[in-house]
């Protein structure tokens, strides 16, 4: 194109439009009218990410079989059957065996909590839309995935869906500083809010500043209105430290999440919430306390004035004055008698 007055005017006009779109996007926040453009980008680039992941991952097609069975309670039997078929298909490779165990654990979690899930694989990690802890999964709107759906795995809460394209979606992880979820403590039902802190434990503030909290207490999601973005009963983590309240209305508790966010692979998107709150049913079983050692039985003996050693039943078991017999074999003395009875 030649450098003419018309071309310069066109360039100025395009720059003005670009700045206008940036301004509208920033002011619009999550309700930005430019969000449609983002979804269009996901439409274009999502299949590329999927294709690359499929080329290097032989388990991708197998996970897709589970994704197609994400309806609620009447599909659990079908999921278990497909899981068994997947195990047979994946063979004996160490990597595949590990992934089968992950898938099996996740399906058991969803069955216990009565969650209807879509299985997906993590195909990319990194910053997206200004968030620092996100992953991209190979499931999108074509699979029934929508924004603000809960994401979990076989260990517990992974995060929530933030952006959806036809074939992929972005998940904000629970350890991101911009992530907050309502929590409920096991047994006591104390409510609070957990916030991500990157690689550090989650910070939880309880509504009751005087709530009794101790190391080892466990938390689950409290749930959201209409189950979005969070369904109830998903395991969150375990208390590792409690800060003194210091006179504040709230107190901060630090919780180690069950999920390892740096090694995510297979996840499940909750596309249908349970009919009833599973409460604490989805939490892992607590380890059994070690058995107390059994006391060693003892026998009490007494020594009569004539030197006889008498046990608790009144039987004479020896005499302190006895000495070795002529054959050279030692006869019981007091110490031997006591030891034998013990």
């Amino acid at each position: 194109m030649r450098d003419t007055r018309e071309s310069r005017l066109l360039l100025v006009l395009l720059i003005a439009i670009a700045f206008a779109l940036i301004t509208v996007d920033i002011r619009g926040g999550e309700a930005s009218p430019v969000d449609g453009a983002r979804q269009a980008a996901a439409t274009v680039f999502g299949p590329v990410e999927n294709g690359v992941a499929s080329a290097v991952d032989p388990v991708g097609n197998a996970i897709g079989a589970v994704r197609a069975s994400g309806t609620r309670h009447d599909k659990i039997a079908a999921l278990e059957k497909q899981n068994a078929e997947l195990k047979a298909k994946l063979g004996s490779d160490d990597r595949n065996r590990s992934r089968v165990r992950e898938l099996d654990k996740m399906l058991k979690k969803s069955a216990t909590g009565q969650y209807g899930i879509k299985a997906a694989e993590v195909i990319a990690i990194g910053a997206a839309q200004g968030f620092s802890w996100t992953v991209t999964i190979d499931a999108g709107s074509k699979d029934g995935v929508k924004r603000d759906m809960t994401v979990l795995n076989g260990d517990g809460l992974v995060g929530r869906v933030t952006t959806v394209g036809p074939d992929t979606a972005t998940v904000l992880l629970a350890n991101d500083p911009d992530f907050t979820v309502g929590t409920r403590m096991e047994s006591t039902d104390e409510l609070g809010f957990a916030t991500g802190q990157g690689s550090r434990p989650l910070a939880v503030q309880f509504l009751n500043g005087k709530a009794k909290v101790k190391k080892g207490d466990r938390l689950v999601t409290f749930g959201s209105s209409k189950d979005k973005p969070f369904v109830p009963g998903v395991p969150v983590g375990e208390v590792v430290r409690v800060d003194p309240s210091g006179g504040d209305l709230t107190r901060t508790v630090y919780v180690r999440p069950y999920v390892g966010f740096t090694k995510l692979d297979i996840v499940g998107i909750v596309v249908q919430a349970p009919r009833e709150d599973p409460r604490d049913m989805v939490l892992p079983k607590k380890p059994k306390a070690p058995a107390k050692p059994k006391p060693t039985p003892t026998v009490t003996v007494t020594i009569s004035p004539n030197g006889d050693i008498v046990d608790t039943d009144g039987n004479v078991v020896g005499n302190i004055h006895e000495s070795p017999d002529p054959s050279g074999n030692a006869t019981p003395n007091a110490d031997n008698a006591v030891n034998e009875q013990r």
Side-chain angles (χ1 to χ4, degrees):
M1 180 182 292
R2 292 189 301 172
D3 184 11
T4 63
R5 184 184 179 196
E6 289 78 6
S7 63
R8 287 196 296 270
L9 288 174
L10 179 60
L11 178 60
V12 172
L13 180 61
L14 290 175
I15 293 174
I17 292 173
F19 276 108
L21 289 174
I22 292 171
T23 303
V24 170
D25 185 30
I26 292 173
R27 292 182 176 179
E30 290 191 355
S32 170
V34 188
D35 192 52
R38 289 199 187 95
Q39 293 185 0
T43 302
V44 174
F45 295 108
V48 177
E49 289 181 319
N50 259 331
V52 173
S54 299
V56 298
D57 189 355
V59 189
N61 293 333
I63 301 302
V66 178
R67 185 183 305 124
S69 302
T71 55
R72 204 198 304 248
H73 314 89
D74 55 346
K75 291 293 184 181
I76 291 175
L79 287 170
E80 292 175 345
K81 180 181 178 181
Q82 289 177 352
N83 188 29
E85 293 173 353
L86 285 172
K87 291 179 181 179
K89 290 179 181 178
L90 294 177
S92 59
D93 180 76
D94 288 342
R95 165 69 171 161
N96 290 338
R97 282 203 302 268
S98 174
R99 304 188 76 193
V100 167
R101 285 194 295 269
E102 286 185 46
L103 182 62
D104 186 62
K105 188 163 61 170
M106 184 178 70
L107 292 176
K108 288 179 179 177
K109 274 275 194 297
S110 63
T112 302
Q114 296 294 285
Y115 306 121
I117 66 168
K118 297 284 187 181
E121 289 182 86
V122 173
I123 58 175
I125 60 173
Q129 302 178 28
F131 300 127
S132 57
W133 288 84
T134 60
V135 295
T136 301
I137 57 175
D138 66 344
S141 58
K142 291 180 180 179
D143 306 295
V145 177
K146 298 179 181 178
R147 187 173 178 173
D148 285 336
M149 283 184 168
T150 307
V151 182
L152 51 77
N153 68 1
D155 297 316
L157 179 67
V158 171
R160 63 179 175 86
V161 177
T162 55
T163 305
V164 181
D167 303 293
T168 62
T170 301
V171 177
L172 178 66
L173 302 181
N175 65 334
D176 188 276
D178 288 334
F179 186 99
T180 299
V181 58
T183 62
R184 180 180 58 77
M185 188 183 296
E186 179 186 17
S187 302
T188 65
D189 290 342
E190 292 287 353
L191 303 181
F193 293 94
T195 302
Q197 296 195 113
S199 57
R200 295 179 295 164
L202 306 177
V204 180
Q205 288 192 330
F206 285 93
L207 301 183
N208 179 6
K210 298 181 180 180
K212 293 183 179 179
V213 187
K214 65 182 184 301
K215 184 177 179 180
D217 285 343
R218 306 188 297 177
L219 286 79
V220 298
T221 55
F222 176 66
S224 306
S225 174
K226 298 182 180 179
D227 300 310
K228 286 189 176 183
F230 302 109
V231 295
V234 180
V236 174
E238 185 175 303
V239 174
V240 292
R241 183 161 63 93
V242 180
D243 275 1
S245 60
D248 296 334
L249 295 178
T250 59
R251 61 196 308 192
T252 302
V253 175
Y254 296 94
V255 172
R256 181 180 62 246
Y258 288 121
V259 171
F261 298 106
T262 59
K263 52 184 180 181
L264 291 171
D265 188 5
I266 299 173
V267 298
I269 305 96
V270 181
V271 294
Q272 288 186 322
R275 291 192 178 97
E276 296 181 358
D277 186 346
R279 305 291 294 175
D280 304 328
M281 293 175 58
V282 191
L283 281 168
K285 291 183 179 180
K286 288 185 176 181
K288 293 182 179 180
K292 294 182 179 180
K294 294 181 179 180
T296 304
T298 58
V299 177
T300 302
V301 296
T302 56
I303 301 176
S304 63
N306 63 357
D308 288 340
I309 301 172
V310 183
D311 63 15
T312 52
D313 295 327
N315 301 317
V316 177
V317 296
N319 190 287
I320 61 173
H321 303 301
E322 290 179 347
S323 58
D325 60 24
S327 64
N329 297 323
T331 56
N333 55 27
D335 292 337
N336 289 337
V338 173
N339 289 334
E340 289 176 2
Q341 292 304 308
R342 289 182 180 174

